[in-house]
Amino acid sequence: AISVQVAWAYARDNCCNPLSMGAIKKMVEEEVPGIYVLSLMIGKSVTEDTESGFFMDVNEQVAFACNKLAQDPKLKAGYNAMGFSQGAQFLRAVAQRCPNPPMKALISVGGQHQGVYGLPRCPGESSHICDWIRKKLNSGAYTDAIQKHLVQAQYWHDPLNDDLYKQHSLFLADINQERVVNETYKKNLMSLEKFVMVKFLQDSIVDPVVSEWFGFFKTGQAEQTETLQESALYKEDRLGLAEMDKAGKLVFLATDGDHLQFNREWFNAKLLPYIR
């Protein structure tokens, strides 16, 4: 059977940029002859796709992607998915909400699975400026208007206002089972053969970087972090991640470099085995 792969771009990018997602698509096609690679375009044009990464309700984006996948006959038998940065948690929502066609492996490259609570290249966790800007952003992040129309607010996760986050986060709190446990989400995610998470050790964009391995800040403060295995999500197994971990389905990879910085040799050695 021909291997198939679906990719989702990150913010500021689009499905077909020849310097980024277009180059990834071409590289995979060169390394795996005969593979079918679909780079998701959210919208009717490359311009719309780029704008969607900033301004389109993520739940609508996920529904759009699910419809597109369901209509592609080449994906009918199943596919492997690779998401870059925010595209990774969006594809996880696809896995949880849309089991047909079936997603076999999910590869998250710098995805923020517990969201973010920080600013790109902000100078250090102890910086008073960082904290001040965070609070200013957070004062509006959970309003209906911002949640609906600013993509990054939809995975803004404030550990200092946990109740506010759980009540008003339209996307992340839902797919992370923060309000109620949707057994269908859990069942669908557990059907993955592999869930691969890549963390960039010198990441200056994602704060906290442990979100790339499904970790986050401990609730009530924004300095100490906890791993996925230390979290209530894992201990209560609301998403089935603990069971998947014990079954060897979770793969945690780390690489030096800043956000989404990797070379072809590393990609071929570490990620290609999961999409062949």
Side-chain angles (χ1 to χ4, degrees):
I2 296 175
S3 297
V4 294
Q5 179 196 339
V6 170
W8 196 321
Y10 50 93
R12 304 184 304 278
D13 196 28
N14 61 63
C15 62
C16 313
N17 186 337
L19 299 178
S20 53
M21 293 303 293
I24 293 287
K25 182 177 187 292
K26 181 180 178 182
M27 181 174 70
V28 171
E29 290 169 341
E30 290 173 352
E31 296 292 340
V32 188
I35 194 173
Y36 171 65
V37 181
L38 171 65
S39 188
L40 284 166
M41 179 188 292
I42 308 300
K44 298 178 181 178
S45 67
V46 170
T47 300
E48 280 191 23
D49 188 35
T50 304
E51 292 175 348
S52 294
F54 290 101
F55 305 118
M56 183 179 179
D57 184 327
V58 178
N59 293 309
E60 292 179 10
Q61 292 192 53
V62 170
F64 184 97
C66 288
N67 185 55
K68 197 164 190 173
L69 298 176
Q71 292 181 354
D72 192 327
K74 294 183 179 179
L75 304 180
K76 186 166 61 174
Y79 64 95
N80 300 310
M82 182 178 295
F84 295 83
S85 196
Q86 68 181 25
Q89 59 259 34
F90 300 171
L91 274 172
R92 176 164 63 84
V94 170
Q96 292 174 206
R97 294 174 178 175
C98 310
N100 295 304
M103 186 185 294
K104 297 177 179 179
L106 172 58
I107 304 170
S108 165
V109 186
Q112 305 98 34
H113 292 283
Q114 279 285 11
V116 296
Y117 183 61
L119 303 163
R121 299 186 176 88
C122 203
E125 291 301 332
S126 61
S127 169
H128 295 299
I129 295 174
C130 288
D131 289 337
W132 182 82
I133 296 174
R134 280 177 178 148
K135 289 173 183 175
K136 291 297 181 184
L137 176 58
N138 195 61
S139 67
Y142 296 122
T143 62
D144 289 344
I146 296 297
Q147 279 289 306
K148 273 290 204 181
H149 301 295
L150 183 61
V151 166
Q152 289 69 35
Q154 294 172 58
Y155 56 89
W156 182 259
H157 185 172
D158 182 358
L160 305 180
N161 291 283
D162 200 49
D163 290 341
L164 194 65
Y165 156 70
K166 289 178 179 178
Q167 291 170 16
H168 297 287
S169 171
L170 295 182
F171 173 69
L172 190 68
D174 176 65
I175 66 164
N176 282 0
Q177 310 272 49
E178 297 284 10
R179 290 185 282 265
V180 296
V181 174
N182 183 326
E183 292 296 339
T184 300
Y185 282 5
K186 183 175 180 177
K187 176 186 175 183
N188 290 343
L189 189 64
M190 289 178 65
S191 71
L192 288 173
E193 296 171 10
K194 291 289 182 182
F195 180 7
V196 182
M197 289 172 265
V198 178
K199 180 172 74 171
F200 293 89
L201 298 177
Q202 308 303 320
D203 204 313
S204 64
I205 299 294
V206 176
D207 188 11
V209 70
V210 292
S211 186
E212 297 176 354
W213 275 4
F214 235 118
F216 201 63
F217 292 116
K218 294 180 180 179
T219 302
Q221 47 81 60
E223 294 181 5
Q224 293 182 316
T225 60
E226 63 183 12
T227 65
L228 166 64
Q229 289 77 7
E230 293 169 334
S231 70
L233 176 69
Y234 187 92
K235 291 175 180 177
E236 297 169 6
D237 210 15
R238 299 196 301 266
L239 271 175
L241 292 170
E243 194 167 335
M244 291 175 72
D245 198 12
K246 291 169 187 171
K249 289 187 174 185
L250 301 187
V251 179
F252 300 91
L253 300 178
T255 182
D256 283 322
D258 205 343
H259 194 57
L260 303 184
Q261 299 300 305
F262 56 85
N263 58 40
R264 185 166 183 159
E265 292 72 26
W266 180 87
F267 184 93
N268 290 350
K270 300 296 185 180
L271 300 186
L272 272 187
Y274 297 103
I275 60 177
R276 287 187 184 277

